[in-house]
Amino acid sequence: MNASRKTHSSSDDLLRGELTELLPPPPVPELEPEREHALRYAVLRDALGSDPATRPRAPRAVRRPLPRLTWIAAPVAACALVAGVIVLAPGEAPAGPSGRVTAGESTAPGAEQVLSRAALAAATAPAPNARPQDFVYVRSLVAHAGRSAAGGVATLPPAHRREVWLSADGSRGGLLREAGAADSVLSPSLPVYELEHRGASPRPTTLEAAAPSVTNPTHAYVATLPTDPEALLRLIREETRGDGGDADQRAFRAIGTLLAETWAPPKVTSALYEAAARIPGVTVLPSAKDAAGREGVAVARTADGEQTQWIFDRATSGFLGERTVLTETTAAGTKGAVLGVSAVLVKAAVAGTGEQPGGAGA
């Protein structure tokens, strides 16, 4: 009986082997790009859910009183359009209302994971719906430290509302509106005076603005940026070469400006995060708040005595804002002083300057 079963099993195995050689393997269907991004994001989200540097801390019982800590408003690089941010600098503990950060325990690495999550989330986000004739509208909260004419340390004022309307194709003048200041027209051409010959009266004319670039982006230009992270990082390094200083920090700041001030297609935004993850010296801040009080996780990079920080929503990995903080004492202030803070609130496409999303006028 047993011998018969063994013989039958051997025959089945031999037949399967012969069929395997004769028949090609079954085709494996490929996933649509959007579905692949969604699955990658879900897998990475679950995998990082157990990472103590990126997940919310669970409440626990406290047996003795602990000192009460206060979050401080943090600084942002002075960009044409940014967002309000409040964060803890790496290697520093929470600070009080003074706007300074005190020395403390250094943070753990993990910036690559934070940026990878942001890249995956961006890849599946809705695409911008701005047409060439439209304007890209960005609303934010911003605050930048200033110094008096007599000098002294820089002082950070309260964050205020900032709105900008940028021509999608760069062909028309935009508009910048900030609380407490007159509206500024953002013209695609620069007013200059021309002299035809020595002794002639100056004649008003205009000078065409520089061609679109990483440092002078339009919505149409940003849409054409490479989606390969290596190629994108090379382009950013090349187009920021004239700014001097640390090449890696130039690239990091330029990417932060593009994230805050433009509305790039999903694949470009994803590539920007992946390019940033390739910049050496980027660290992670496990917890941070923006100017609107939104808590999240941040990545940061330090150079020339200043640290640039980006803050991300902990649940969605969306970009919240940016800040800049002194990491050493200078004429502008003491170590830990906040130089700027921002928080991006709204990005949308509108038909004209002064128009609000939803059709409301100025």
Side-chain angles (χ1 to χ4, degrees), residues 79 81 213-218 221-222 225 232 236 251-264 268-269 272 319 347:
C79 303
L81 183 48
S213 65
V214 167
T215 56
N216 182 39
T218 64
Y221 173 81
V222 171
L225 287 174
L232 179 56
I236 291 172
F252 189 76
R253 287 174 176 166
I255 293 174
T257 301
L258 291 171
L259 293 171
E261 299 181 4
T262 66
W263 193 14
V268 173
T269 304
L272 287 170
F319 181 83
K347 289 185 179 182

Side-chain angles (χ1 to χ4, degrees), residues 67-359:
R68 189 171 182 178
L69 302 179
T70 306
W71 295 99
I72 62 163
V76 167
C79 303
L81 183 48
V82 244
V85 184
I86 302 169
V87 187
L88 298 181
E92 297 170 336
S98 63
R100 288 199 295 270
V101 184
T102 57
E105 185 177 323
S106 61
T107 58
E112 296 86 355
Q113 292 179 332
V114 175
L115 290 169
S116 293
R117 292 184 66 173
L120 289 172
T124 58
N129 59 352
R131 301 166 299 176
Q133 67 270 27
D134 287 340
F135 289 81
V136 173
Y137 169 83
V138 184
R139 182 191 307 156
S140 58
L141 294 176
V142 300
H144 301 298
R147 303 172 69 179
S148 67
V153 298
T155 303
L156 186 73
H160 62 270
R161 176 166 164 160
R162 180 178 183 126
E163 298 172 286
V164 67
W165 291 261
L166 301 172
S167 173
D169 62 5
S171 64
R172 292 172 295 165
L175 179 68
L176 173 63
R177 177 172 293 165
E178 293 193 67
D183 289 356
S184 298
V185 176
L186 306 177
S187 175
S189 58
L190 305 175
V192 296
Y193 285 89
E194 185 178 59
L195 284 176
E196 294 184 356
H197 56 81
R198 185 185 296 272
S201 299
R203 181 170 58 87
T205 184
T206 57
L207 179 67
E208 291 302 317
S213 65
V214 167
T215 56
N216 182 39
T218 64
H219 180 73
Y221 173 81
V222 171
T224 67
L225 287 174
T227 56
D228 174 74
E230 293 288 354
L232 179 56
L233 185 56
R234 285 196 301 271
L235 176 65
I236 291 172
R237 290 185 190 278
E238 179 63 30
E239 295 198 353
T240 58
R241 190 182 300 277
D243 296 341
D246 181 347
D248 291 328
Q249 190 70 356
R250 290 200 313 265
F252 189 76
R253 287 174 176 166
I255 293 174
T257 301
L258 291 171
L259 293 171
E261 299 181 4
T262 66
W263 193 14
K267 289 184 178 180
V268 173
T269 304
S270 180
L272 287 170
Y273 291 128
E274 293 182 0
R278 288 163 166 76
I279 299 175
V282 181
T283 59
V284 68
L285 303 172
S287 184
K289 288 186 179 181
D290 73 0
R294 300 174 296 188
E295 195 273 343
V297 62
V299 297
R301 194 177 191 281
T302 302
D304 303 322
E306 295 182 6
Q307 184 181 77
T308 302
Q309 306 170 355
W310 304 343
I311 302 177
F312 297 92
D313 185 279
R314 192 178 298 280
T316 67
S317 294
F319 181 83
L320 296 180
E322 186 180 11
R323 81 167 185 170
T324 303
V325 63
L326 284 176
T327 57
E328 57 187 51
T329 299
T330 68
T334 58
K335 178 181 178 180
V338 174
L339 298 182
V341 59
S342 70
V344 177
L345 303 178
V346 176
K347 289 185 179 182
V350 295
T353 57
E355 183 176 324
Q356 300 286 332

Side-chain angles (χ1 to χ4, degrees), residues 13-25:
D13 292 341
L14 181 60
L15 179 59
R16 290 192 190 98
E18 292 175 349
L19 289 174
T20 301
E21 294 179 358
L22 293 174
L23 298 176

